[in-house]
Amino acid sequence: MTVTSNKWCARTFFIVSAFLFAGAGVQAQPISAYLYGQNHWLADGDEGRVGYIHNLWPQVKASGVKTVRIGGNGYERNFPSRNQLNKMVDNIKSIGAEPLLQIPRHFSDEATKELVAYYTRKGNRQIKFWSIGNEPMLHEEYTIEEIHQYLVRIAKAMRRAGPDIKIFMFDEAWLRIPEYSALVGGRLDVVGLKENGRWLIDGVNFHSYPNGPKFVRDDVVFTGPKKILDQVLELQTLIKNANAKYQRKGDAALLWGLTEFNVTYHNPDREVSGYGNTSFLAGQFTAEIFGYGMQYSAYMLNPWCINESDAVATDFGYLGLPREFYPRSSYYHMQLLSTYLLGEFIASSDNQAYVKTIATRDAGTIAIMIMNQHQTDTFEFSLSFSKSSASVKSPLQINVAANLDKTFSSHIAAQSTRVYVFDKNASLQKTISYSLQDNMVFKAPQVE
């Protein structure tokens, strides 16, 4: 990528950010109770490999995870035994989270009904959230007509056995617009169908790994998030039109989720100071995507994955290598969001392309996460709690749509993240800081 294209990406990102803040995008949205998710991978013995997830549940709980998907290619091909699955469900429930269980696309109607009936009967293993299949078009195994056929068949069997469960589809590797358009209100529509007195499908999922084997740092800062945002906006349009077409309103409105994502599917750079899935920058990327989820009412977002440390090429986990399993930047950024950014998303903006912000409020607090992704520059900033610019100008000007005539000033160092927690009147209560330097020495975010 040339310098010219980098500047173009930076300008484009800022224009989009300002556009959303100005009112074209969502201004305030409740944050889903199930937003913060993860993927259950890798358990010991999966694909004959060594996994450590059985020891990691206390750390997973501490990150604030609320949904854990039992899915992906491994479980699509080798579905867990009932004993294995029971342990997975018990572990997920034990940390106060809910499973999202993927039914393989090759399951028969009888096997589907038995599985759903087993995990919806009274007891501690009830599963609310279900999906069907994983990335069926990644290697062109299935046509959209074949996908439509198995989706309808399996979803009908699921709905007969579990009328109250939530069923999501179809977890493709990226948002293929022609195929999703066909299924969501189009020629092969499934979201307008009903079975057993309920809508057949409750939500639409997709995956996104916006970078491949060759990319640069600015792709993680600009083009990668922009690709995911564009997909989210395209899916929003499909869902809005389908809801209107079939008059799906209120609790019946279609949900959506991003059930796999990370910086890249290839992970060529594993340095903490670099820009791959294990880097400090990847944590800021993860937080930015969660911010989109807040803004556009995602039901759940599930990065890939908890821990996969037996192969360098697929070491994507938010918990690091044995024996210490140090939390990575993606872990701590999720923890910061789930701990401090509560209630509802509110709009924010700034005037520096390498700075990203996410803001929330609840009954008693206003919180903002500020992420400086610049490699060298520290920014003095002025934060205004209204849409209009503060009277005091700073190199970095941040605006939060909190409708308060208050300002706050501070600074943020290069390659660092800060969370500021204010009371409802915009008086500072707490500052939490985390940086590349902290990440390099396995240091957790610090409350100042």
Side-chain angles (χ1 to χ4, degrees):
M1 180 178 290
T2 66
V3 173
T4 300
S5 63
N6 287 348
K7 290 181 178 178
W8 181 88
C9 290
R11 288 196 299 269
T12 300
F13 179 87
F14 176 66
I15 290 169
V16 170
S17 177
F19 177 71
L20 295 177
F21 185 91
V26 177
Q27 289 299 301
Q29 285 293 336
I31 299 170
S32 168
Y34 303 105
L35 180 71
Y36 298 110
Q38 258 298 346
N39 273 278
H40 188 291
W41 193 256
L42 175 73
D44 194 38
D46 287 344
E47 298 184 335
R49 299 163 63 184
V50 177
Y52 303 93
I53 199 170
H54 55 283
N55 292 326
L56 303 178
W57 291 108
Q59 288 176 283
V60 176
K61 180 179 181 179
S63 73
V65 163
K66 297 303 179 186
T67 57
V68 179
R69 174 174 173 256
I70 304 172
N73 188 50
Y75 295 139
E76 180 77 5
R77 295 180 302 171
N78 299 293
F79 195 70
S81 70
R82 188 59 50 88
N83 286 339
Q84 290 172 317
L85 203 52
N86 284 342
K87 290 179 182 178
M88 293 177 183
V89 173
D90 289 346
N91 285 327
I92 293 167
K93 294 274 191 177
S94 74
I95 66 167
E98 293 292 336
L100 167 64
L101 181 56
Q102 170 189 300
I103 292 184
R105 53 187 178 259
H106 58 76
F107 258 38
S108 68
D109 293 4
E110 291 73 20
T112 297
K113 286 188 283 188
E114 189 278 330
L115 184 70
V116 173
Y118 181 88
Y119 284 111
T120 53
R121 64 186 184 181
K122 290 184 179 179
N124 296 326
R125 292 191 178 123
Q126 288 185 326
I127 297 179
K128 302 176 182 179
F129 308 132
W130 300 74
S131 63
I132 305 171
N134 180 75
E135 300 184 353
M137 304 187 78
L138 178 60
H139 301 295
E140 309 300 335
E141 300 105 316
Y142 287 79
T143 65
I144 190 60
E145 288 77 15
E146 291 168 328
I147 292 168
H148 173 263
Q149 185 177 32
Y150 77 65
L151 282 174
V152 172
R153 176 182 63 79
I154 293 176
K156 284 184 174 181
M158 295 171 73
R159 190 59 79 199
R160 291 170 194 147
D164 297 326
I165 64 174
K166 293 191 183 298
I167 303 173
F168 291 79
M169 65 92 190
F170 72 105
D171 287 89
E172 189 45 68
W174 65 91
L175 192 76
R176 294 173 180 255
I177 288 300
E179 288 75 19
Y180 275 89
S181 297
L183 295 172
V184 184
R187 65 182 180 87
L188 298 172
D189 177 68
V190 295
V191 301
L193 303 179
K194 290 188 175 182
E195 182 70 23
N196 199 13
R198 304 296 179 96
W199 292 105
L200 185 63
I201 297 294
D202 297 288
V204 183
N205 285 347
F206 72 103
H207 303 167
S208 186
Y209 299 81
N211 297 298
K214 293 183 180 180
F215 62 100
V216 297
R217 190 177 190 277
D218 270 10
D219 290 318
V220 184
V221 177
F222 300 118
T223 56
K226 180 64 165 51
K227 286 178 183 178
I228 294 181
L229 176 59
D230 286 346
Q231 292 173 331
V232 169
L233 294 175
E234 288 176 315
L235 181 57
Q236 290 288 295
T237 299
L238 290 179
I239 287 175
K240 179 181 177 181
N241 291 340
N243 282 337
K245 181 176 182 178
Y246 299 112
Q247 297 185 351
R248 296 188 61 157
K249 302 176 182 178
D251 291 341
L254 285 164
L255 308 170
W256 74 274
L258 181 59
T259 44
E260 284 188 30
F261 73 94
N262 216 314
V263 167
T264 172
Y265 62 83
H266 195 270
N267 208 29
D269 174 12
R270 297 176 68 253
E271 296 298 324
V272 172
S273 59
Y275 47 85
N277 293 330
T278 60
S279 66
F280 176 79
L281 184 64
Q284 294 181 319
F285 170 92
T286 299
E288 186 172 1
I289 305 310
F290 274 115
Y292 294 151
M294 294 181 196
Q295 184 171 7
Y296 294 102
S297 300
Y299 202 67
M300 61 184 74
L301 299 186
N302 303 72
W304 188 273
C305 59
I306 291 174
N307 179 261
E308 182 179 359
S309 55
D310 67 332
V312 169
T314 52
D315 177 20
F316 292 9
Y318 82 158
L319 291 171
L321 304 177
R323 294 177 294 183
E324 295 80 8
F325 301 103
Y326 288 122
R328 287 171 167 159
S329 176
S330 51
Y331 176 99
Y332 281 132
H333 276 85
M334 179 189 287
Q335 187 182 63
L336 288 170
L337 290 168
S338 66
T339 302
Y340 298 108
L341 277 79
L342 308 172
E344 65 178 10
F345 168 92
I346 56 176
S348 62
S349 70
D350 67 81
N351 62 342
Q352 292 288 346
Y354 282 93
V355 175
K356 315 290 179 64
T357 62
I358 305 168
T360 63
R361 67 183 174 200
D362 62 11
T365 64
I366 300 168
I368 182 167
M369 174 179 281
I370 304 173
M371 297 180 287
N372 183 359
Q373 297 176 322
H374 202 284
Q375 288 185 281
T376 58
D377 289 358
T378 294
F379 292 108
E380 300 291 331
F381 70 82
S382 178
L383 167 61
S384 171
F385 289 88
S386 65
K387 291 183 180 181
S388 60
S389 298
S391 57
V392 178
K393 298 297 182 181
S394 300
L396 171 58
Q397 179 64 49
I398 300 170
N399 297 88
V400 175
N403 298 318
L404 294 170
D405 186 20
K406 295 287 187 71
T407 60
F408 170 80
S409 298
S410 188
H411 68 277
I412 184 164
Q415 299 191 72
S416 70
T417 295
R418 279 190 165 184
V419 174
Y420 293 93
V421 181
F422 303 87
D423 68 15
K424 63 181 180 180
N425 297 314
S427 294
L428 183 64
Q429 304 295 299
K430 190 179 296 186
T431 304
I432 306 93
S433 297
Y434 184 53
S435 68
L436 171 61
Q437 288 71 29
D438 296 329
N439 195 182
M440 295 282 285
V441 295
F442 310 110
K443 186 178 180 181
Q446 299 296 301
V447 178
E448 297 180 3

